[in-house]
Short mmCIF file of all heavy atoms in Angstrom, two decimals:
data_model
loop_
_atom_site.label_atom_id
_atom_site.label_comp_id
_atom_site.label_asym_id
_atom_site.label_seq_id
_atom_site.Cartn_x
_atom_site.Cartn_y
_atom_site.Cartn_z
N SER A 345 18.94 24.80 6.49
CA SER A 345 19.32 23.90 7.52
C SER A 345 20.83 23.60 7.47
O SER A 345 21.35 22.86 8.27
CB SER A 345 18.54 22.62 7.45
OG SER A 345 18.86 21.93 6.25
N ARG A 346 21.51 24.10 6.49
CA ARG A 346 22.95 23.80 6.35
C ARG A 346 23.66 24.25 7.58
O ARG A 346 23.51 25.32 8.13
CB ARG A 346 23.50 24.53 5.13
CG ARG A 346 24.79 24.01 4.61
CD ARG A 346 25.24 24.66 3.38
NE ARG A 346 24.29 24.40 2.31
CZ ARG A 346 24.57 24.71 1.02
NH1 ARG A 346 25.67 25.28 0.70
NH2 ARG A 346 23.68 24.41 0.10
N GLY A 347 24.60 23.42 8.05
CA GLY A 347 25.45 23.76 9.18
C GLY A 347 24.85 23.41 10.51
O GLY A 347 25.58 23.44 11.52
N ARG A 348 23.57 23.03 10.60
CA ARG A 348 23.02 22.72 11.90
C ARG A 348 22.65 21.24 12.01
O ARG A 348 21.92 20.83 12.90
CB ARG A 348 21.70 23.55 12.10
CG ARG A 348 21.99 25.00 12.41
CD ARG A 348 20.79 25.74 12.84
NE ARG A 348 19.96 26.16 11.71
CZ ARG A 348 18.71 25.71 11.47
NH1 ARG A 348 18.17 24.88 12.32
NH2 ARG A 348 18.05 26.14 10.44
N CYS A 349 23.12 20.43 11.05
CA CYS A 349 22.73 19.06 11.03
C CYS A 349 23.66 18.16 11.87
O CYS A 349 24.78 18.54 12.14
CB CYS A 349 22.75 18.53 9.60
SG CYS A 349 22.07 19.70 8.47
N PRO A 350 23.21 17.03 12.27
CA PRO A 350 24.07 16.11 13.04
C PRO A 350 25.27 15.67 12.18
O PRO A 350 25.11 15.53 10.97
CB PRO A 350 23.18 14.89 13.38
CG PRO A 350 22.06 14.95 12.43
CD PRO A 350 21.85 16.41 12.09
N ALA A 351 26.39 15.48 12.82
CA ALA A 351 27.56 15.10 12.07
C ALA A 351 27.40 13.65 11.65
O ALA A 351 27.56 12.75 12.43
CB ALA A 351 28.81 15.30 12.93
N CYS A 352 27.14 13.46 10.40
CA CYS A 352 26.87 12.11 9.97
C CYS A 352 27.43 11.89 8.58
O CYS A 352 26.70 11.83 7.61
CB CYS A 352 25.37 11.82 10.01
SG CYS A 352 24.91 10.22 9.33
N PRO A 353 28.75 11.83 8.48
CA PRO A 353 29.31 11.70 7.13
C PRO A 353 29.08 10.31 6.58
O PRO A 353 29.81 9.37 6.92
CB PRO A 353 30.83 11.99 7.37
CG PRO A 353 31.05 11.66 8.77
CD PRO A 353 29.78 11.79 9.51
N VAL A 354 28.04 10.15 5.78
CA VAL A 354 27.73 8.86 5.16
C VAL A 354 27.92 9.02 3.69
O VAL A 354 27.10 9.53 2.99
CB VAL A 354 26.27 8.50 5.51
CG1 VAL A 354 25.88 7.20 4.77
CG2 VAL A 354 26.11 8.31 6.97
N TYR A 355 29.04 8.51 3.21
CA TYR A 355 29.25 8.56 1.75
C TYR A 355 29.30 7.15 1.26
O TYR A 355 30.18 6.36 1.57
CB TYR A 355 30.65 9.24 1.45
CG TYR A 355 30.55 10.72 1.38
CD1 TYR A 355 30.70 11.46 2.56
CD2 TYR A 355 30.36 11.39 0.20
CE1 TYR A 355 30.64 12.82 2.54
CE2 TYR A 355 30.31 12.76 0.20
CZ TYR A 355 30.45 13.47 1.35
OH TYR A 355 30.39 14.83 1.32
N ARG A 356 28.31 6.77 0.53
CA ARG A 356 28.32 5.44 -0.06
C ARG A 356 27.92 5.59 -1.51
O ARG A 356 26.95 6.19 -1.83
CB ARG A 356 27.34 4.54 0.64
CG ARG A 356 27.97 3.77 1.77
CD ARG A 356 26.96 3.05 2.63
NE ARG A 356 27.16 3.48 4.02
CZ ARG A 356 26.19 3.51 4.92
NH1 ARG A 356 25.01 3.21 4.60
NH2 ARG A 356 26.46 3.82 6.17
N GLU A 357 28.67 4.98 -2.36
CA GLU A 357 28.32 5.08 -3.76
C GLU A 357 28.33 3.69 -4.37
O GLU A 357 29.16 2.87 -4.13
CB GLU A 357 29.40 5.96 -4.42
CG GLU A 357 29.05 6.29 -5.85
CD GLU A 357 30.06 7.21 -6.44
OE1 GLU A 357 30.56 8.09 -5.74
OE2 GLU A 357 30.39 7.02 -7.62
N SER A 358 27.36 3.50 -5.16
CA SER A 358 27.25 2.19 -5.81
C SER A 358 27.30 2.39 -7.32
O SER A 358 26.58 3.24 -7.83
CB SER A 358 25.94 1.58 -5.40
OG SER A 358 26.15 0.39 -4.80
N ARG A 359 28.08 1.69 -8.00
CA ARG A 359 28.09 1.82 -9.45
C ARG A 359 28.04 0.46 -10.13
O ARG A 359 28.57 -0.49 -9.60
CB ARG A 359 29.39 2.49 -9.88
CG ARG A 359 29.47 3.98 -9.57
CD ARG A 359 30.81 4.51 -9.81
NE ARG A 359 31.18 4.38 -11.19
CZ ARG A 359 32.08 5.17 -11.75
NH1 ARG A 359 32.71 6.08 -11.04
NH2 ARG A 359 32.43 4.98 -12.99
N ARG A 360 27.38 0.41 -11.17
CA ARG A 360 27.32 -0.85 -11.94
C ARG A 360 27.53 -0.42 -13.37
O ARG A 360 26.88 0.47 -13.89
CB ARG A 360 25.93 -1.47 -11.73
CG ARG A 360 25.66 -2.64 -12.64
CD ARG A 360 24.25 -3.10 -12.46
NE ARG A 360 23.79 -3.79 -13.67
CZ ARG A 360 22.55 -3.90 -13.99
NH1 ARG A 360 21.62 -3.33 -13.28
NH2 ARG A 360 22.18 -4.55 -15.03
N SER A 361 28.51 -0.96 -14.03
CA SER A 361 28.76 -0.49 -15.37
C SER A 361 28.85 -1.57 -16.42
O SER A 361 29.94 -1.92 -16.89
CB SER A 361 30.00 0.36 -15.46
OG SER A 361 30.76 0.22 -14.31
N PRO A 362 27.70 -2.13 -16.79
CA PRO A 362 27.74 -2.96 -18.04
C PRO A 362 28.01 -1.98 -19.14
O PRO A 362 27.44 -0.92 -19.19
CB PRO A 362 26.35 -3.56 -18.08
CG PRO A 362 25.51 -2.86 -17.16
CD PRO A 362 26.39 -2.16 -16.16
N PRO A 363 28.87 -2.28 -20.07
CA PRO A 363 29.40 -1.29 -21.04
C PRO A 363 28.38 -0.71 -21.95
O PRO A 363 28.47 0.40 -22.41
CB PRO A 363 30.51 -2.03 -21.79
CG PRO A 363 30.23 -3.46 -21.57
CD PRO A 363 29.52 -3.56 -20.26
N CYS A 364 27.29 -1.47 -22.30
CA CYS A 364 26.46 -1.02 -23.38
C CYS A 364 25.13 -0.38 -22.92
O CYS A 364 24.30 -0.09 -23.70
CB CYS A 364 26.18 -2.11 -24.33
SG CYS A 364 25.48 -3.50 -23.46
N THR A 365 24.92 -0.21 -21.60
CA THR A 365 23.62 0.37 -21.20
C THR A 365 23.80 1.71 -20.49
O THR A 365 24.80 2.00 -19.94
CB THR A 365 22.90 -0.55 -20.19
OG1 THR A 365 23.81 -0.80 -19.09
CG2 THR A 365 22.55 -1.86 -20.82
N ARG A 366 22.78 2.45 -20.56
CA ARG A 366 22.76 3.73 -19.81
C ARG A 366 22.51 3.42 -18.35
O ARG A 366 21.71 2.57 -18.04
CB ARG A 366 21.63 4.61 -20.30
CG ARG A 366 21.71 5.01 -21.72
CD ARG A 366 20.70 6.07 -22.07
NE ARG A 366 20.86 6.49 -23.40
CZ ARG A 366 20.08 6.12 -24.36
NH1 ARG A 366 19.08 5.31 -24.17
NH2 ARG A 366 20.29 6.51 -25.65
N LEU A 367 23.19 4.07 -17.47
CA LEU A 367 22.96 3.81 -16.02
C LEU A 367 22.71 5.06 -15.25
O LEU A 367 23.00 6.15 -15.66
CB LEU A 367 24.15 3.08 -15.35
CG LEU A 367 25.30 2.65 -16.15
CD1 LEU A 367 26.54 3.05 -15.42
CD2 LEU A 367 25.25 1.14 -16.19
N LEU A 368 22.24 4.85 -14.08
CA LEU A 368 22.05 5.89 -13.13
C LEU A 368 22.83 5.53 -11.87
O LEU A 368 22.68 4.46 -11.38
CB LEU A 368 20.57 6.00 -12.80
CG LEU A 368 20.17 7.05 -11.77
CD1 LEU A 368 20.29 8.41 -12.38
CD2 LEU A 368 18.75 6.82 -11.35
N SER A 369 23.63 6.43 -11.41
CA SER A 369 24.33 6.09 -10.17
C SER A 369 23.96 7.14 -9.13
O SER A 369 23.89 8.31 -9.38
CB SER A 369 25.84 6.09 -10.40
OG SER A 369 26.45 7.00 -9.58
N VAL A 370 23.64 6.66 -7.97
CA VAL A 370 23.12 7.53 -6.91
C VAL A 370 24.15 7.63 -5.82
O VAL A 370 24.56 6.69 -5.27
CB VAL A 370 21.82 6.98 -6.37
CG1 VAL A 370 21.31 7.83 -5.20
CG2 VAL A 370 20.75 6.93 -7.42
N ARG A 371 24.56 8.82 -5.56
CA ARG A 371 25.47 8.99 -4.44
C ARG A 371 24.70 9.60 -3.27
O ARG A 371 24.05 10.63 -3.39
CB ARG A 371 26.62 9.93 -4.79
CG ARG A 371 27.55 10.15 -3.57
CD ARG A 371 28.89 10.72 -3.96
NE ARG A 371 28.78 11.97 -4.62
CZ ARG A 371 29.84 12.60 -5.14
NH1 ARG A 371 31.03 12.05 -5.11
NH2 ARG A 371 29.69 13.76 -5.73
N VAL A 372 24.74 8.93 -2.15
CA VAL A 372 24.02 9.36 -0.96
C VAL A 372 25.05 10.01 -0.09
O VAL A 372 26.01 9.39 0.30
CB VAL A 372 23.37 8.17 -0.22
CG1 VAL A 372 22.71 8.67 1.02
CG2 VAL A 372 22.33 7.53 -1.15
N ALA A 373 24.90 11.27 0.17
CA ALA A 373 25.97 11.95 0.89
C ALA A 373 25.41 13.00 1.82
O ALA A 373 24.31 13.48 1.65
CB ALA A 373 26.91 12.61 -0.10
N THR A 374 26.21 13.32 2.78
CA THR A 374 25.93 14.54 3.56
C THR A 374 27.14 15.45 3.31
O THR A 374 28.23 15.17 3.72
CB THR A 374 25.77 14.30 5.05
OG1 THR A 374 26.85 13.58 5.56
CG2 THR A 374 24.52 13.46 5.32
N LYS A 375 26.91 16.53 2.58
CA LYS A 375 27.96 17.44 2.20
C LYS A 375 27.98 18.55 3.26
O LYS A 375 26.97 19.26 3.36
CB LYS A 375 27.61 18.02 0.81
CG LYS A 375 28.81 18.61 0.11
CD LYS A 375 28.60 18.79 -1.37
CE LYS A 375 27.50 19.75 -1.69
NZ LYS A 375 27.41 20.03 -3.14
N ASP A 376 29.03 18.68 4.02
CA ASP A 376 29.03 19.60 5.13
C ASP A 376 27.80 19.36 5.99
O ASP A 376 27.11 20.32 6.40
CB ASP A 376 29.00 21.09 4.66
CG ASP A 376 30.25 21.40 3.82
OD1 ASP A 376 31.30 20.80 4.13
OD2 ASP A 376 30.12 22.18 2.87
N SER A 377 27.59 18.14 6.34
CA SER A 377 26.47 17.73 7.19
C SER A 377 25.10 18.06 6.56
O SER A 377 24.11 18.16 7.27
CB SER A 377 26.53 18.40 8.55
OG SER A 377 27.74 18.07 9.18
N LEU A 378 25.03 18.19 5.26
CA LEU A 378 23.77 18.50 4.60
C LEU A 378 23.37 17.26 3.83
O LEU A 378 24.05 16.76 2.99
CB LEU A 378 23.97 19.68 3.64
CG LEU A 378 22.71 20.16 2.92
CD1 LEU A 378 21.73 20.84 3.93
CD2 LEU A 378 23.06 21.11 1.81
N PHE A 379 22.22 16.76 4.11
CA PHE A 379 21.72 15.54 3.45
C PHE A 379 21.26 15.87 2.03
O PHE A 379 20.45 16.71 1.76
CB PHE A 379 20.55 14.98 4.27
CG PHE A 379 19.77 13.93 3.53
CD1 PHE A 379 20.39 12.73 3.18
CD2 PHE A 379 18.46 14.18 3.19
CE1 PHE A 379 19.64 11.76 2.50
CE2 PHE A 379 17.73 13.20 2.53
CZ PHE A 379 18.33 12.01 2.16
N TRP A 380 21.82 15.13 1.07
CA TRP A 380 21.52 15.40 -0.32
C TRP A 380 21.69 14.14 -1.14
O TRP A 380 22.41 13.25 -0.77
CB TRP A 380 22.48 16.48 -0.83
CG TRP A 380 22.13 17.07 -2.13
CD1 TRP A 380 22.76 16.88 -3.31
CD2 TRP A 380 21.02 17.93 -2.42
NE1 TRP A 380 22.14 17.58 -4.31
CE2 TRP A 380 21.06 18.23 -3.84
CE3 TRP A 380 19.96 18.43 -1.66
CZ2 TRP A 380 20.10 19.01 -4.45
CZ3 TRP A 380 19.06 19.24 -2.29
CH2 TRP A 380 19.12 19.53 -3.68
N LEU A 381 21.01 14.08 -2.21
CA LEU A 381 21.12 12.96 -3.13
C LEU A 381 21.62 13.45 -4.46
O LEU A 381 20.97 14.35 -5.05
CB LEU A 381 19.72 12.32 -3.34
CG LEU A 381 19.43 11.05 -2.59
CD1 LEU A 381 17.95 10.80 -2.66
CD2 LEU A 381 20.18 9.89 -3.16
N LYS A 382 22.73 12.97 -4.94
CA LYS A 382 23.25 13.53 -6.17
C LYS A 382 23.47 12.40 -7.16
O LYS A 382 24.32 11.56 -7.03
CB LYS A 382 24.59 14.22 -5.86
CG LYS A 382 25.02 15.16 -6.91
CD LYS A 382 26.33 15.81 -6.55
CE LYS A 382 26.83 16.75 -7.62
NZ LYS A 382 26.02 18.02 -7.71
N PRO A 383 22.66 12.39 -8.19
CA PRO A 383 22.83 11.32 -9.16
C PRO A 383 23.84 11.65 -10.24
O PRO A 383 24.11 12.79 -10.51
CB PRO A 383 21.45 11.25 -9.76
CG PRO A 383 20.86 12.62 -9.63
CD PRO A 383 21.54 13.26 -8.47
N ARG A 384 24.45 10.64 -10.80
CA ARG A 384 25.34 10.87 -11.93
C ARG A 384 24.91 9.90 -13.04
O ARG A 384 24.66 8.73 -12.79
CB ARG A 384 26.78 10.55 -11.53
CG ARG A 384 27.44 11.66 -10.75
CD ARG A 384 28.92 11.73 -10.98
NE ARG A 384 29.55 10.47 -10.95
CZ ARG A 384 30.24 9.99 -9.96
NH1 ARG A 384 30.37 10.68 -8.85
NH2 ARG A 384 30.79 8.79 -10.00
N ILE A 385 24.82 10.41 -14.18
CA ILE A 385 24.39 9.56 -15.28
C ILE A 385 25.56 9.29 -16.20
O ILE A 385 26.28 10.19 -16.59
CB ILE A 385 23.30 10.27 -16.12
CG1 ILE A 385 22.27 10.95 -15.20
CG2 ILE A 385 22.64 9.35 -17.08
CD1 ILE A 385 21.63 10.08 -14.18
#
Side-chain angles (χ1 to χ4, degrees):
Chain A
S345 66
R346 199 175 294 191
R348 285 190 277 117
C349 319
C352 175
V354 174
Y355 276 86
R356 267 169 233 152
E357 188 178 322
S358 239
R359 289 171 61 158
R360 169 185 157 205
S361 15
C364 54
T365 56
R366 297 191 178 100
L367 355 133
L368 178 71
S369 121
V370 175
R371 178 163 61 186
V372 176
T374 52
K375 198 162 68 172
D376 297 327
S377 303
L378 183 71
F379 166 64
W380 191 249
L381 256 167
K382 198 179 178 72
R384 282 211 316 259
I385 316 305

